[in-house]
Amino acid sequence: MPFVQCYASQVNQVLMNILSNAIDAVEEKQNKIQSGVLQEECFVPTIEIQTTCLEKERVQIKISDNGIGMPQDVIEKIYDPFYTTKPIGKGTGLGLAIAYQIMHDCHEGILQCSSGVGKGTTFILEIPCHPQTAPLLQNV
């Protein structure tokens, strides 16, 4: 993988927000299976991280889980500030809104989500290796 010029702490925040949500999603699915709400044999909670070097000097990070998943109407709101699907006191609804802002505004990147109820969720991050708008970035 090539070096990427970026604000490392901000990209780490994006990754941690997505991974935290993935952990919550697989735990929720496992809890629903154990309580009998969902029927699924041989469920193994899984989170996969895949990195790829794309053409035009871009890096892609794909984070997938096999958790509870989300319907389309929820996916359309996940980047809205203060929107959360979590119980009161568990989440602020700011994690993905901030992640989206960091990727788009600070890094000229892309943050996409695809999901299916009961099938899991995949987030795709794409970051240019040398963004045009941030001359004082550091290599990670």
Side-chain angles (χ1 to χ4, degrees), residues 108-124:
E108 299 175 7
I110 296 170
L111 179 58
Q112 298 173 328
C113 176
S114 62
S115 186
V117 175
K119 296 181 181 179
T121 301
T122 298
F123 279 90
I124 296 175

Side-chain angles (χ1 to χ4, degrees), residues 13 17 22 42 69 77 80 102:
Q13 182 178 3
N17 285 338
C42 302
K77 299 174 189 171
D80 294 349
I102 289 170

Side-chain angles (χ1 to χ4, degrees), residues 18-35:
I18 293 171
L19 288 170
S20 176
N21 286 336
I23 291 167
D24 291 344
V26 295
E27 285 180 346
E28 183 178 350
K29 187 171 184 177
Q30 188 167 28
N31 290 340
K32 287 186 176 192
I33 291 169
Q34 289 174 344
S35 67

Side-chain angles (χ1 to χ4, degrees), residues 28 39 43 47 51 54 59 102 134:
E28 183 178 350
Q39 300 296 318
F43 175 70
I47 298 171
T51 58
L54 303 174
V59 171
I102 289 170

